[in-house]
Amino acid sequence: MRILFLTHSFNSLSQRLHVELRNRGHNVSVEFDINDDTAIEAVDLFQPDLIVAPFLKRAIPELIWRNHVCLVVHPGIPGDRGPSSLDWAILASGSGWGVTVLQANEVMDGGAIWAFCEFPMRQASKASLYRNEVTEAAVAAVLEAVGKFEAGDVAPEPLDYARENIRGTLRPLMKQSDRAIDWASDRSDIVLRKIRAADGFPGVVDTLFGREVYLYDARPEFRLRGRPGDVIARCGPAICRATTDGAIWIGHLRDKDSEHPFKLPATRVLQNEVATLPESRGYEEIRYTEQSGAGYLYFDFYNGAMSTRQCRMLLDAYRDARTRDTKVIVLMGGTDFWSNGMHLNLIEAASSPADESWRNINAINDLAYEIITTDNQLVVSALQGNAGAGGVFLARAADYVWSREGVILNPHYKDMGNLYGSEYWTYLLPRYTGTQHARQISQARLPMGSAEAMKLGLVDAAFEACHGKFLESTLIRARALAGADRYDELLARKWARRMMDEEQKPLTLYRDQELESMRMNFYGFDPSYHVARYNFVYKVAKSRTPLTIAAHRSLSSRPPRRMVQ
Ligand code: COA
């Protein structure tokens, strides 16, 4: 079928649905919901059989929903309506939640129900629930709804609050007054819930050292105590604030009235205020464990962004892991993201973004180099979560890449103002995928599912959709690799191949050539990278849909024109 996505942006959920529906042979095109005219024009150009709205912030124009079936993905259980569904669900702390696919009509979120899927609630941020449970449930519900629509013999069920299975209600937009933390009375679990219900957007407004800031990235603290509301310690990017029954860590803040009004590490936003606070443990970004001959390096960096400091810390931790008596090192990344490459927010906030970009890319390259040249262990990248741009190539620096099913990769840099990219991608991509696939991957600029990534050689194995099961299977596979009869042969073969590659073209040459192009991106006359980074960090809304995903806007793929009636 011809399926048009009408969506506010091509976010992770839209990307995943794009991958799943294309895998099932559908012709999918994407239009950003910018205004009624462009949406109507897109429908007119593409002539879709079905419209899917994975992520909308406004109502679909009547001219469209009256003439086409439009399936809206709503992150709530049947009957739930309103713009703050997940926020209310997290704050209420219920045991389960869900996703409903309903047909657009004149009542916002009030259309007939095509499918729904429920999931157990996890104590996590809204963004994390959205990227994991909501996305998995949305995929299941959309595929069911699309199947029913295609079969043509099942009608959707009208929303009827008298029915027993309709448990949701209409809820208003959650306001900052609903989110406000009362430090004098709120317990840690309540503070955590309030911050998580607003993370990644909009954050909870609060006052710290007399400044109004938005709070994000909260974690519990189990030992430290203090006067409720006081900031009592710091650890890496995070500050620790006492509550009535303990304390919590806050990793990121946004001060919209400051020179850099976007999300940054808390200790960076409050660098003067917290300079003399005691350093403590409690918000570790990097963790190392060992089991059955394998070392596991976890690096849970907020939003998968890797700053110069974080890359250097990770390089130190990796070097330590190399000195251990293990046979395999598994690079675990974080739960939500494996890596999204350079830390664009910190680069934007630097006194010289070009210099900070240079430092950051060199710090990632140093890490990639250490991984590629590991001669004493086999190295695995285990992707629990998505990876983008340089993060994908950093993962490919390992000998094996294992991915959780459902992970989405964006193995391209060009969307960031034609950034050339580094991380030895010019070596790694042809080495693992072959020259033809390498060209295809770097030109396509499309999200890729784990199955396609495996076919192309970006990923070696994809297994288990569920996080817990992926972790279990990763441990089993790593243990098997460490104990394999052929271990010595595998290690010798890997190193022989590396030596041969080095003889043909040294790694330093790849790096120098990539960095030559990156130097032009950072310091050259063309400001595209700096403009694109600014737009990304400041979340400037796109004024049109990129042609890479809006197939209907490229002349060759247009069907004969027919007006929307
Ligand atoms: N640096 C800083 N923040 C980053 C980041 C990066 N490299 N990559 C993602 N983020 C942040 C986003 O700003 C967003 O922040 P929020 O918490 O305020 O919402 C959050 O991570 C999630 O990203 P989002 O873009 O909403 O996720 P997505 O799943 O829709 O898209 C990517 C994933 C990877 C396609 C997209 O985030 C991206 O293009 N990132 C930049 C990659 C890049 O160019 N890196 C530099 C070159 S190596």
Side-chain angles (χ1 to χ4, degrees), residues 165-179:
N165 66 339
I166 303 295
R167 289 177 291 118
T169 53
L170 170 63
R171 287 187 170 273
L173 175 75
M174 190 180 277
K175 296 189 291 294
Q176 282 297 337
S177 53
D178 301 310
R179 305 182 190 273

PDB file of all heavy atoms in Angstrom, residues 165-179:
ATOM      1  N   ASN A 165     -14.074  -1.986  28.839  1.00  0.00           N
ATOM      2  CA  ASN A 165     -12.629  -1.951  28.524  1.00  0.00           C
ATOM      3  C   ASN A 165     -12.116  -0.544  28.213  1.00  0.00           C
ATOM      4  O   ASN A 165     -10.936  -0.360  27.941  1.00  0.00           O
ATOM      5  CB  ASN A 165     -12.296  -2.918  27.383  1.00  0.00           C
ATOM      6  CG  ASN A 165     -12.943  -2.494  26.079  1.00  0.00           C
ATOM      7  OD1 ASN A 165     -13.923  -1.743  26.105  1.00  0.00           O
ATOM      8  ND2 ASN A 165     -12.416  -2.959  24.965  1.00  0.00           N
ATOM      9  N   ILE A 166     -12.994   0.450  28.254  1.00  0.00           N
ATOM     10  CA  ILE A 166     -12.540   1.830  28.010  1.00  0.00           C
ATOM     11  C   ILE A 166     -12.260   2.459  29.375  1.00  0.00           C
ATOM     12  O   ILE A 166     -13.163   2.947  30.059  1.00  0.00           O
ATOM     13  CB  ILE A 166     -13.605   2.640  27.218  1.00  0.00           C
ATOM     14  CG1 ILE A 166     -13.933   1.936  25.887  1.00  0.00           C
ATOM     15  CG2 ILE A 166     -13.141   4.069  26.973  1.00  0.00           C
ATOM     16  CD1 ILE A 166     -12.808   1.859  24.890  1.00  0.00           C
ATOM     17  N   ARG A 167     -10.992   2.441  29.770  1.00  0.00           N
ATOM     18  CA  ARG A 167     -10.645   2.902  31.123  1.00  0.00           C
ATOM     19  C   ARG A 167     -10.058   4.306  31.151  1.00  0.00           C
ATOM     20  O   ARG A 167      -9.905   4.921  32.193  1.00  0.00           O
ATOM     21  CB  ARG A 167      -9.665   1.905  31.764  1.00  0.00           C
ATOM     22  CG  ARG A 167     -10.325   0.568  32.120  1.00  0.00           C
ATOM     23  CD  ARG A 167      -9.337  -0.417  32.675  1.00  0.00           C
ATOM     24  NE  ARG A 167      -8.394  -0.878  31.671  1.00  0.00           N
ATOM     25  CZ  ARG A 167      -7.092  -0.707  31.708  1.00  0.00           C
ATOM     26  NH1 ARG A 167      -6.543  -0.070  32.714  1.00  0.00           N
ATOM     27  NH2 ARG A 167      -6.308  -1.164  30.746  1.00  0.00           N
ATOM     28  N   GLY A 168      -9.657   4.819  29.981  1.00  0.00           N
ATOM     29  CA  GLY A 168      -9.018   6.134  29.937  1.00  0.00           C
ATOM     30  C   GLY A 168     -10.035   7.265  30.016  1.00  0.00           C
ATOM     31  O   GLY A 168     -11.241   7.044  29.892  1.00  0.00           O
ATOM     32  N   THR A 169      -9.529   8.488  30.221  1.00  0.00           N
ATOM     33  CA  THR A 169     -10.407   9.668  30.243  1.00  0.00           C
ATOM     34  C   THR A 169      -9.708  10.821  29.522  1.00  0.00           C
ATOM     35  O   THR A 169      -8.527  10.730  29.197  1.00  0.00           O
ATOM     36  CB  THR A 169     -10.669  10.160  31.688  1.00  0.00           C
ATOM     37  OG1 THR A 169      -9.391  10.344  32.309  1.00  0.00           O
ATOM     38  CG2 THR A 169     -11.500   9.206  32.499  1.00  0.00           C
ATOM     39  N   LEU A 170     -10.457  11.880  29.332  1.00  0.00           N
ATOM     40  CA  LEU A 170      -9.873  13.090  28.746  1.00  0.00           C
ATOM     41  C   LEU A 170      -9.104  13.823  29.842  1.00  0.00           C
ATOM     42  O   LEU A 170      -9.654  14.085  30.917  1.00  0.00           O
ATOM     43  CB  LEU A 170     -10.981  13.989  28.191  1.00  0.00           C
ATOM     44  CG  LEU A 170     -10.571  15.391  27.753  1.00  0.00           C
ATOM     45  CD1 LEU A 170      -9.579  15.350  26.590  1.00  0.00           C
ATOM     46  CD2 LEU A 170     -11.781  16.219  27.365  1.00  0.00           C
ATOM     47  N   ARG A 171      -7.822  14.143  29.562  1.00  0.00           N
ATOM     48  CA  ARG A 171      -7.025  14.856  30.568  1.00  0.00           C
ATOM     49  C   ARG A 171      -6.461  16.125  29.931  1.00  0.00           C
ATOM     50  O   ARG A 171      -6.108  16.130  28.755  1.00  0.00           O
ATOM     51  CB  ARG A 171      -5.866  13.992  31.045  1.00  0.00           C
ATOM     52  CG  ARG A 171      -6.333  12.861  31.943  1.00  0.00           C
ATOM     53  CD  ARG A 171      -5.146  12.159  32.501  1.00  0.00           C
ATOM     54  NE  ARG A 171      -5.511  11.217  33.556  1.00  0.00           N
ATOM     55  CZ  ARG A 171      -5.631  11.543  34.828  1.00  0.00           C
ATOM     56  NH1 ARG A 171      -5.469  12.780  35.226  1.00  0.00           N
ATOM     57  NH2 ARG A 171      -5.930  10.627  35.717  1.00  0.00           N
ATOM     58  N   PRO A 172      -6.334  17.178  30.739  1.00  0.00           N
ATOM     59  CA  PRO A 172      -5.852  18.443  30.171  1.00  0.00           C
ATOM     60  C   PRO A 172      -4.340  18.430  29.937  1.00  0.00           C
ATOM     61  O   PRO A 172      -3.652  17.504  30.365  1.00  0.00           O
ATOM     62  CB  PRO A 172      -6.202  19.456  31.264  1.00  0.00           C
ATOM     63  CG  PRO A 172      -6.139  18.651  32.517  1.00  0.00           C
ATOM     64  CD  PRO A 172      -6.587  17.267  32.170  1.00  0.00           C
ATOM     65  N   LEU A 173      -3.855  19.460  29.303  1.00  0.00           N
ATOM     66  CA  LEU A 173      -2.411  19.659  29.177  1.00  0.00           C
ATOM     67  C   LEU A 173      -1.825  19.790  30.580  1.00  0.00           C
ATOM     68  O   LEU A 173      -2.374  20.541  31.413  1.00  0.00           O
ATOM     69  CB  LEU A 173      -2.155  20.948  28.387  1.00  0.00           C
ATOM     70  CG  LEU A 173      -0.701  21.379  28.251  1.00  0.00           C
ATOM     71  CD1 LEU A 173       0.011  20.503  27.232  1.00  0.00           C
ATOM     72  CD2 LEU A 173      -0.605  22.855  27.849  1.00  0.00           C
ATOM     73  N   MET A 174      -0.737  19.080  30.857  1.00  0.00           N
ATOM     74  CA  MET A 174      -0.145  19.202  32.196  1.00  0.00           C
ATOM     75  C   MET A 174       0.618  20.528  32.296  1.00  0.00           C
ATOM     76  O   MET A 174       1.457  20.830  31.453  1.00  0.00           O
ATOM     77  CB  MET A 174       0.804  18.027  32.471  1.00  0.00           C
ATOM     78  CG  MET A 174       1.250  17.988  33.919  1.00  0.00           C
ATOM     79  SD  MET A 174       2.371  16.620  34.273  1.00  0.00           S
ATOM     80  CE  MET A 174       1.261  15.283  34.529  1.00  0.00           C
ATOM     81  N   LYS A 175       0.303  21.284  33.343  1.00  0.00           N
ATOM     82  CA  LYS A 175       0.942  22.600  33.499  1.00  0.00           C
ATOM     83  C   LYS A 175       2.114  22.503  34.477  1.00  0.00           C
ATOM     84  O   LYS A 175       2.209  21.549  35.248  1.00  0.00           O
ATOM     85  CB  LYS A 175      -0.080  23.618  34.021  1.00  0.00           C
ATOM     86  CG  LYS A 175      -1.229  23.869  33.039  1.00  0.00           C
ATOM     87  CD  LYS A 175      -2.106  25.018  33.470  1.00  0.00           C
ATOM     88  CE  LYS A 175      -2.928  24.733  34.708  1.00  0.00           C
ATOM     89  NZ  LYS A 175      -3.954  23.696  34.557  1.00  0.00           N
ATOM     90  N   GLN A 176       2.948  23.535  34.480  1.00  0.00           N
ATOM     91  CA  GLN A 176       4.081  23.540  35.416  1.00  0.00           C
ATOM     92  C   GLN A 176       3.591  23.499  36.864  1.00  0.00           C
ATOM     93  O   GLN A 176       4.244  22.919  37.724  1.00  0.00           O
ATOM     94  CB  GLN A 176       4.992  24.750  35.185  1.00  0.00           C
ATOM     95  CG  GLN A 176       5.935  24.599  33.988  1.00  0.00           C
ATOM     96  CD  GLN A 176       6.932  23.441  34.135  1.00  0.00           C
ATOM     97  OE1 GLN A 176       7.238  22.990  35.237  1.00  0.00           O
ATOM     98  NE2 GLN A 176       7.439  22.939  33.014  1.00  0.00           N
ATOM     99  N   SER A 177       2.394  24.044  37.123  1.00  0.00           N
ATOM    100  CA  SER A 177       1.896  24.003  38.503  1.00  0.00           C
ATOM    101  C   SER A 177       1.584  22.559  38.927  1.00  0.00           C
ATOM    102  O   SER A 177       1.682  22.219  40.103  1.00  0.00           O
ATOM    103  CB  SER A 177       0.654  24.893  38.649  1.00  0.00           C
ATOM    104  OG  SER A 177      -0.294  24.535  37.669  1.00  0.00           O
ATOM    105  N   ASP A 178       1.232  21.700  37.942  1.00  0.00           N
ATOM    106  CA  ASP A 178       0.998  20.280  38.261  1.00  0.00           C
ATOM    107  C   ASP A 178       2.319  19.558  38.532  1.00  0.00           C
ATOM    108  O   ASP A 178       2.354  18.532  39.199  1.00  0.00           O
ATOM    109  CB  ASP A 178       0.312  19.562  37.089  1.00  0.00           C
ATOM    110  CG  ASP A 178      -1.019  20.184  36.723  1.00  0.00           C
ATOM    111  OD1 ASP A 178      -1.824  20.378  37.633  1.00  0.00           O
ATOM    112  OD2 ASP A 178      -1.229  20.488  35.527  1.00  0.00           O
ATOM    113  N   ARG A 179       3.378  20.091  37.952  1.00  0.00           N
ATOM    114  CA  ARG A 179       4.672  19.411  38.035  1.00  0.00           C
ATOM    115  C   ARG A 179       5.521  19.912  39.207  1.00  0.00           C
ATOM    116  O   ARG A 179       6.526  19.291  39.554  1.00  0.00           O
ATOM    117  CB  ARG A 179       5.478  19.664  36.744  1.00  0.00           C
ATOM    118  CG  ARG A 179       4.766  19.276  35.457  1.00  0.00           C
ATOM    119  CD  ARG A 179       5.684  19.516  34.263  1.00  0.00           C
ATOM    120  NE  ARG A 179       5.007  19.381  32.982  1.00  0.00           N
ATOM    121  CZ  ARG A 179       4.844  18.233  32.309  1.00  0.00           C
ATOM    122  NH1 ARG A 179       5.315  17.124  32.817  1.00  0.00           N
ATOM    123  NH2 ARG A 179       4.242  18.215  31.139  1.00  0.00           N
TER     124      ARG A 179
END
